[in-house]
Amino acid sequence: MHKNHRQNRRRVRRGHQQNPWFRQHGSDERCNTAAQQSPQDSGRADDDEAPSTSSGTAGSSSAPDLPGYYFDPEKKRYFRLLPGHNNCNPLTKESIRHKEMESKRLQLLEEEDKQKKKIARMGFNASSLLQKNKLGFLNATSYCRLAHELRVSCMQRKKVQIQSSDPSALASDRFNLILADTNSDRLFTVNDVKVGGSKYGIISLRGLKTPSLKVHMHENLYFTNRKVNSVCWASLNHLDSHILLCLMGIAETPGCATLLPASLFVSSHPGERPGMLCSFRIPGAWSCAWSLNIQANNCFSTGLSRRVLVTNVVTGHRQSFGTSSDVLAQQFALMAPLLFNGCRSGEIFAIDLRCRNQGKGWKATRLFHDSAVTSVQILQEEQNLMASDMAGTIKLWDLRTTKCIRQYEGHVNEYAYLPLHVHEEEGIVVAVGQDCYTRIWSFHDACLLRTIPSPHPTSKSDIPSVAFSSRLGGFRGAPGLLMAVQQDLYCFSYS
């Protein structure tokens, strides 16, 4: 055994002598024992001296990349990478990457706290914008758009105080999802309960006013141990009277689509009685959407594995459309009788609701991404569509020519189901990446305006959920961004 160990050390020394990098640096750094220590010795010394977490991997330095070893350019030595099992303080590529990301996040948070005034575009600040407007270099539309971009870049993070009848639950329940209604005065929340399962609630945003940011959480003891695949607001009795949930099946309990009355939490109309909960047995639903189109009144759609169901809530009538892939994202058009769907295969297609079931010609439009589509958003004039996929690609499509006219760079996604937020009134696009960074682009030219780090350490289970509105808290509210992560809610409002 000792003989084999000596032979292995001779091979490493012989490899170092043959490597040009070691020949070049060997004569200059012989006095530095740490730099000239062999990889095997470095592996034994990992417990005595930890590598620096602020440096990059071996590929980013001038040192050669040795399989199974990590070179720290600050300490000028190699550290042995250990497999990710139950070793004490293992040094793995994943842990190195996580420490580097955390260091970058803390640095960005510190810069945001120090730098009160940020610049979205080079050469544009408040004074230069006013000057160019006075000189006539900008028309009214461009001036308003650039003013919005400037305000977005100057939004400051403030923590929102949540009031509830059960304060102990607020300290333990973690936000999983938030969804603002049409008027942006209510926020539907899905919280993961510490003992297991989920809990639903509605946050009233009417008290969201500076300087004291206070909101109230209205809860209902409605628990479920099933995963929520998709959620959207539904207008059955009036605008946003219900919440449509797609629940995943578990054990012998099949999946279902549930219409949850918002009046079970808080009444938004005087004299309104709590509505009844309606469930539809729809197994394996990945996505859902509510129709505001008059030709599909009181209808909702669910995207299943290789099938799309359109269900009328009042009559119970269903239309079924077969597909070649799982449907992960859906949205109804408001003026045209079309339902747009995004699939795991990367295909985006529209269903003409006037065609009955699987008759020929029901696919009105077809677009294609290179990865699974996670979100589709139809723009106001219904001539363009924006979609994002699991490769981090965000594209703006022209539905008339079926061509991509703009692409938004910087979004990070590998396999997560992440939503996309488009706000034409403010001229911005918002998306949260799998790296827990919230990115804001200019809708008009795809310029990345701002990158907001998460206030909490990055984690795959703690990806922030956001909601942007031009009127947070109702019609008299100011534009801003709400961010929910772990047990906290933050507000980024226009100053």
Side-chain angles (χ1 to χ4, degrees), residues 352-425:
D352 191 336
L353 299 175
R354 294 168 295 186
C355 297
R356 299 300 175 186
N357 295 333
Q358 297 189 21
K360 294 182 179 180
W362 56 267
K363 280 191 178 182
T365 304
R366 297 185 71 184
L367 310 170
F368 294 94
H369 276 236
D370 295 330
S371 183
V373 177
T374 60
S375 181
V376 290
Q377 296 289 328
I378 307 170
L379 304 189
Q380 291 179 359
E381 295 182 357
E382 298 187 2
Q383 296 179 354
N384 298 303
L385 177 142
M386 190 172 289
S388 62
D389 60 32
M390 289 189 182
T393 304
I394 301 176
K395 291 184 177 181
L396 178 64
W397 293 90
D398 190 328
L399 295 177
R400 296 163 296 181
T401 62
T402 65
K403 292 183 179 180
C404 175
I405 56 178
R406 198 172 299 139
Q407 188 163 330
Y408 300 77
E409 304 290 343
H411 185 48
V412 176
N413 192 8
E414 295 178 355
Y415 56 82
Y417 184 84
L418 300 175
L420 180 66
H421 309 273
V422 184
H423 302 275
E424 293 182 80
E425 185 177 352

Side-chain angles (χ1 to χ4, degrees), residues 252-482:
E252 296 180 356
T253 305
C256 66
T258 300
L259 270 175
L260 191 63
S263 56
L264 290 177
F265 303 91
V266 57
S267 177
S268 58
H269 288 67
E272 183 181 15
R273 295 181 179 180
M276 293 182 62
L277 184 146
C278 303
S279 291
F280 301 85
R281 186 172 177 176
I282 302 177
W286 292 102
S287 58
C288 63
W290 181 265
S291 172
L292 293 176
N293 192 303
I294 192 64
Q295 298 190 48
N297 193 27
N298 295 328
C299 290
F300 70 91
S301 67
T302 46
L304 289 76
S305 297
R306 302 177 181 273
R307 192 158 55 115
V308 173
L309 281 181
V310 179
T311 305
N312 189 301
V313 177
V314 178
T315 64
H317 177 263
R318 287 184 179 179
Q319 287 180 264
S320 178
F321 301 89
T323 65
S324 58
S325 181
D326 301 338
V327 180
L328 304 182
Q330 293 182 304
Q331 188 181 11
F332 282 94
L334 183 60
M335 295 181 289
L338 298 175
L339 170 62
F340 286 86
N341 305 267
C343 298
R344 191 184 299 276
S345 62
E347 181 187 9
I348 301 173
F349 63 89
I351 296 176
D352 191 336
L353 299 175
R354 294 168 295 186
C355 297
R356 299 300 175 186
N357 295 333
Q358 297 189 21
K360 294 182 179 180
W362 56 267
K363 280 191 178 182
T365 304
R366 297 185 71 184
L367 310 170
F368 294 94
H369 276 236
D370 295 330
S371 183
V373 177
T374 60
S375 181
V376 290
Q377 296 289 328
I378 307 170
L379 304 189
Q380 291 179 359
E381 295 182 357
E382 298 187 2
Q383 296 179 354
N384 298 303
L385 177 142
M386 190 172 289
S388 62
D389 60 32
M390 289 189 182
T393 304
I394 301 176
K395 291 184 177 181
L396 178 64
W397 293 90
D398 190 328
L399 295 177
R400 296 163 296 181
T401 62
T402 65
K403 292 183 179 180
C404 175
I405 56 178
R406 198 172 299 139
Q407 188 163 330
Y408 300 77
E409 304 290 343
H411 185 48
V412 176
N413 192 8
E414 295 178 355
Y415 56 82
Y417 184 84
L418 300 175
L420 180 66
H421 309 273
V422 184
H423 302 275
E424 293 182 80
E425 185 177 352
E426 301 295 324
I428 62 172
V429 178
V430 183
V432 181
Q434 204 170 348
D435 56 354
C436 298
Y437 284 87
T438 303
R439 293 174 175 85
I440 303 177
W441 295 266
S442 168
F443 170 77
H444 299 277
D445 60 4
C447 175
L448 181 61
L449 303 177
R450 188 169 179 185
T451 301
I452 304 175
S454 172
H456 292 269
T458 58
S459 171
K460 295 178 181 178
S461 59
D462 290 325
I463 298 177
S465 180
V466 300
F468 186 92
S469 174
S470 57
R471 295 177 296 273
L472 278 180
F475 291 106
R476 296 183 180 179
L481 174 77
L482 288 175

Side-chain angles (χ1 to χ4, degrees), residues 174-321:
R174 303 162 68 93
F175 282 105
N176 183 16
L177 181 145
I178 61 173
L179 183 66
D181 64 355
T182 304
N183 295 329
S184 300
D185 57 1
R186 292 177 299 171
L187 203 66
F188 180 73
T189 67
V190 178
N191 295 71
D192 294 332
V193 183
K194 190 175 182 181
V195 296
S198 300
K199 183 171 67 175
Y200 309 141
I202 288 182
I203 295 179
S204 176
L205 301 178
R206 296 188 182 276
L208 194 67
K209 298 178 181 179
T210 56
S212 60
L213 298 174
K214 295 181 180 179
V215 295
H216 190 82
M217 168 77 83
H218 300 275
E219 297 174 318
N220 189 293
L221 298 179
Y222 184 80
F223 289 84
T224 175
N225 58 352
R226 291 183 287 179
K227 178 184 176 183
V228 178
N229 278 343
S230 183
V231 58
C232 68
W233 285 91
S235 302
L236 183 58
N237 300 333
H238 52 79
L239 183 64
D240 298 334
S241 62
H242 290 67
I243 301 101
L244 178 62
L245 298 164
C246 283
L247 303 178
M248 199 171 182
I250 183 172
E252 296 180 356
T253 305
C256 66
T258 300
L259 270 175
L260 191 63
S263 56
L264 290 177
F265 303 91
V266 57
S267 177
S268 58
H269 288 67
E272 183 181 15
R273 295 181 179 180
M276 293 182 62
L277 184 146
C278 303
S279 291
F280 301 85
R281 186 172 177 176
I282 302 177
W286 292 102
S287 58
C288 63
W290 181 265
S291 172
L292 293 176
N293 192 303
I294 192 64
Q295 298 190 48
N297 193 27
N298 295 328
C299 290
F300 70 91
S301 67
T302 46
L304 289 76
S305 297
R306 302 177 181 273
R307 192 158 55 115
V308 173
L309 281 181
V310 179
T311 305
N312 189 301
V313 177
V314 178
T315 64
H317 177 263
R318 287 184 179 179
Q319 287 180 264
S320 178
F321 301 89

Side-chain angles (χ1 to χ4, degrees), residues 140-160:
T141 304
S142 299
Y143 174 75
C144 292
R145 175 170 57 87
L146 292 172
H148 280 308
E149 293 181 3
L150 190 62
R151 289 184 175 183
V152 165
S153 64
C154 295
M155 292 190 304
Q156 295 294 315
R157 183 184 72 254
K158 296 179 181 178
K159 191 173 181 179
V160 180

